[in-house]
Amino acid sequence: NDQLIMSERKRLLESSKEIVEIVPLGSGREVGRSCVIAKLGNKSVMLDCGLHPALSGESALPFLDHIDLSTVDIALITHFHIDHAAAVPYLLERTNFKGRVFMTHPTKAIFKLVVQDYVNVGHATTQQALFTKEDVRNCMQKIEVCNYHQEMEVNGI
């Protein structure tokens, strides 16, 4: 029965570009590592990319290996909390993600402090560290800012 449901779901997704597919890569049934992919046709948007605050190393990350990150067009970060944003340096500096990342001006300012603190406090041993201070500096240059309620079009999205 599950196989029948999955094949019908796949058929519907392939036959229509009007169906939005939602893929939770974290926070599905827990608090932490918030990360959701929304797909419509050949466009993909990542909503948040956080770490699980109770875990360390790669187990704290969203399940980023479940999708091809090079196909994600943009990432929208809702706010600076660790569970919603702290995996962004990893996403930008340690994966094949090629999209653009957006957050508001205040979120970016506080995000920088939060992830720098995360590295300085050393939530993991050096071998388990997900990213470095240099990764944080590099990712800050790649993050684009937008205003509250600002509308923009990025690659047809």
Side-chain angles (χ1 to χ4, degrees):
N1 199 6
D2 286 342
Q3 196 171 26
L4 181 63
I5 292 170
M6 291 304 288
S7 66
E8 178 62 12
R9 179 177 173 265
K10 185 176 180 179
R11 185 191 68 74
L12 284 171
L13 287 172
E14 290 171 353
S15 67
S16 174
K17 291 188 177 192
E18 297 302 316
I19 294 177
V20 176
E21 181 181 8
I22 303 295
V23 182
L25 299 178
S27 73
R29 292 188 174 164
E30 64 184 354
V31 173
R33 67 175 148 212
S34 185
C35 186
V36 176
I37 302 293
K39 297 180 181 181
L40 178 62
N42 64 350
K43 302 295 182 184
S44 293
V45 176
M46 177 182 285
L47 304 170
D48 288 340
C49 191
L51 294 173
H52 195 297
L55 302 173
S56 62
E58 290 187 2
S59 63
L61 289 167
F63 301 105
L64 300 174
D65 56 341
H66 284 52
I67 64 163
D68 179 3
L69 291 170
S70 70
T71 65
V72 178
D73 298 290
I74 60 174
L76 304 174
I77 307 303
T78 60
H79 61 285
F80 60 83
H81 290 169
I82 287 174
D83 60 323
H84 288 261
V88 171
Y90 183 89
L91 176 73
L92 288 173
E93 301 303 317
R94 304 286 175 109
T95 72
N96 66 342
F97 177 80
K98 294 172 179 37
R100 294 167 65 184
V101 176
F102 293 91
M103 56 181 71
T104 62
H105 294 271
T107 296
K108 185 175 180 182
I110 298 171
F111 164 81
K112 180 181 180 183
L113 300 173
V114 169
V115 293
Q116 284 175 336
D117 189 54
Y118 184 84
V119 171
N120 291 336
V121 171
H123 284 276
T125 64
T126 304
Q127 289 114 359
Q128 289 181 316
L130 296 172
F131 48 86
T132 64
K133 290 178 184 181
E134 184 177 345
D135 291 333
V136 172
R137 276 192 302 275
N138 292 339
C139 93
M140 291 302 295
Q141 295 173 15
K142 297 175 184 176
I143 295 170
E144 300 177 56
V145 293
C146 56
N147 294 317
Y148 290 105
H149 307 292
Q150 178 181 354
E151 292 183 22
M152 62 175 61
E153 185 175 321
V154 179
N155 298 334
I157 297 174

